[in-house]
Amino acid sequence: MNSKGYVLVTGGAGYIGSHTFVELVKAGYTPVILDDFRNSNRIVIEGLRRITDTEPIIAEVDVCSADVRDLFKTYSFAGIIHFAAYKAVGESVKEPLKYYKNNIGGLVNILLLAEEFKVRSFVFSSSCTVYGEPGDVKEVDEHMPVAKANSPYGNTKIIGEQIITDLYQTNPEFRMMSLRYFNPIGAHPSGEIGEYPIGRPNNLLPFITQTAIGKQDSLTVFGNDYPTPDGTCIRDYIHVCDLAMAHVKALDYLIGLHEGCNEFVNVGTGKGTSVLELIKAFESMSAMKLNWAFGPRRAGDVTEIYANAERSRQLLKWNSTFTIEDAVRDAWRWEKNLAQHV
Ligand code: UD1
């Protein structure tokens, strides 16, 4: 075991989970992955082996199952990072119960065990989706009110934060942190791990790289009449390795506390990028001309949102370090690497 102790990483074979695994090992923790690979691929594990030069500990268990208890009996966890959840907005509208069962059921299962086994430090994967359509305010900080969810997926993040808050009320010794991610993109610079969308990607950058490599015929840019400088939506894209590092900082912070807390922290760069700007960044990095065309707006899209990143700087001493150019380069390297494997 590494010196800083075992950390339970639910969804550790997933996109953000796997990158966090790498940063945890680098920081001296021993991550224990809980993942049943329903939404991830085993080739990620080979990548983790190569990057970290360690044999990942993996428990192939459903996050909602009673068997998760065995893990808590086997390992004395210093903390928990809870990623395991579904995240496709459109699918959640069609199959809401699937989302509530997995995202809420999984969270409650893990929290019950955290309570029973007195694992106090807990990091929750939340999302900037909790802010909804921020209206005139584009730069959102953590004091902004949580909006009404516009999808069951978004609702699972809002309810998740509420469950954590309710638990903290009665168990103030818990050290809780909900990280509100903006738009994670990119891949590990080694090209060994990255995002592995199952089926047709919903998110922008995987769609760009899949179009470039020929898995998709063309990219549709959803809307060109938004009130933004180039008419396309603006998001705060954050490199997944920066996001992974924020989890390590969050865990270090929580474990170092002498009393309980319940914090909500934005994880973004503080900078907005439009859809067209991201496409241009990809084209100039790869020297390729992407096949794309404008299409109608996508229902539920927010015009413009980016993080006020002050709180993460102050509390976690964390700052993003990678650029958009780094992210498109790394995502492209990963896409090309993936093409050789699958
Ligand atoms: C989406 C979810 C968000 C979730 C996140 C998970 C919605 C409304 N929001 O964020 O709740 O936390 O994914 O990663 O679904 N775009 C195109 N063409 C495409 C794909 C995307 O033009 O083929 C545009 C979208 O309209 C948007 C931008 O790219 O303006 C980013 O889209 P996406 O990557 O799906 O992220 P979000 O919608 O911001």
Side-chain angles (χ1 to χ4, degrees):
M1 180 187 70
N2 274 339
S3 55
K4 286 162 92 174
Y6 292 109
V7 177
L8 177 62
V9 185
T10 74
Y15 177 41
I16 306 169
S18 57
H19 290 80
T20 301
F21 178 97
V22 172
E23 298 304 328
L24 285 168
V25 172
K26 268 205 257 171
Y29 289 102
T30 303
V32 175
I33 294 176
L34 182 159
D35 205 303
D36 62 5
F37 295 93
R38 80 179 73 168
N39 217 4
S40 50
N41 192 292
R42 282 181 175 73
I43 67 165
V44 164
I45 304 302
E46 289 165 34
L48 292 181
R49 264 189 210 114
R50 281 196 287 268
I51 298 171
T52 62
D53 202 19
T54 60
E55 186 52 43
I57 305 173
I58 302 161
E60 246 182 276
V61 200
D62 178 343
V63 69
C64 297
S65 126
D67 295 343
V68 181
R69 199 160 189 282
D70 294 341
L71 271 186
F72 281 77
K73 284 199 276 183
T74 307
Y75 301 100
S76 171
F77 292 121
I80 299 170
I81 306 182
H82 179 57
F83 292 106
Y86 292 134
K87 62 160 196 171
V89 176
E91 183 188 56
S92 80
V93 175
K94 291 191 196 110
E95 296 180 77
L97 295 182
K98 174 177 168 179
Y99 274 68
Y100 288 117
K101 182 173 182 228
N102 191 49
N103 294 12
I104 303 299
L107 173 65
V108 171
N109 196 31
I110 299 294
L111 285 175
L112 280 167
L113 291 164
E115 189 178 36
E116 180 185 343
F117 287 85
K118 299 191 173 22
V119 185
R120 308 286 192 214
S121 298
F122 187 88
V123 180
F124 176 59
S125 267
S126 190
S127 164
C128 69
T129 193
V130 303
Y131 298 117
E133 171 65 78
D136 290 341
V137 185
K138 311 297 179 201
E139 185 193 83
V140 293
D141 68 34
E142 295 82 351
H143 300 297
M144 292 265 306
V146 165
K148 190 178 169 300
N150 63 1
S151 71
Y153 157 76
N155 214 17
T156 65
K157 295 301 173 190
I158 295 173
I159 296 170
E161 289 192 357
Q162 282 169 353
I163 289 172
I164 286 168
T165 301
D166 290 344
L167 179 59
Y168 176 69
Q169 296 297 320
T170 50
N171 288 266
E173 68 281 7
F174 261 116
R175 287 161 285 184
M176 310 283 211
M177 190 175 289
S178 296
L179 295 182
R180 293 173 173 169
Y181 314 154
F182 282 68
N183 287 61
I185 57 167
H188 193 268
S190 65
E192 294 280 5
I193 56 171
E195 190 164 7
Y196 191 89
I198 291 181
R200 196 177 159 84
N202 295 303
N203 296 119
L204 179 59
L205 190 52
F207 215 104
I208 290 177
T209 57
Q210 286 203 5
T211 305
I213 209 143
K215 282 189 196 165
Q216 308 292 338
D217 292 336
S218 71
L219 167 78
T220 303
V221 173
F222 299 138
N224 62 352
D225 57 353
Y226 284 98
T228 60
D230 65 17
T232 65
C233 293
I234 293 178
R235 296 286 183 275
D236 186 338
Y237 295 98
I238 172 159
H239 195 293
V240 66
C241 291
D242 273 335
L243 179 55
M245 199 57 218
H247 288 81
V248 176
K249 296 272 189 183
L251 201 63
D252 283 345
Y253 172 83
L254 295 177
I255 289 173
L257 283 181
H258 298 294
E259 53 195 21
C261 73
N262 183 31
E263 299 282 352
F264 303 89
V265 181
N266 285 345
V267 189
T269 66
K271 188 178 161 292
T273 301
S274 74
V275 176
L276 289 186
E277 284 170 337
L278 197 69
I279 292 173
K280 280 188 195 124
F282 177 83
E283 288 184 330
S284 73
M285 175 278 309
S286 63
M288 290 171 79
K289 177 79 194 76
L290 200 72
N291 186 19
W292 68 268
F294 285 121
R297 289 183 177 197
R298 180 173 71 177
D301 268 345
V302 164
T303 304
E304 177 172 359
I305 186 167
Y306 53 91
N308 176 313
E310 206 43 52
R311 185 126 182 85
S312 59
R313 270 186 221 120
Q314 282 175 5
L315 203 65
L316 306 181
K317 314 281 178 265
W318 170 89
N319 237 326
S320 58
T321 56
F322 290 90
T323 63
I324 291 284
E325 287 70 30
D326 295 329
V328 293
R329 179 202 62 215
D330 294 337
W332 184 225
R333 188 180 291 127
W334 161 244
E335 188 72 71
K336 287 189 290 187
N337 195 10
L338 200 57
Q340 289 168 4
H341 287 87
V342 286

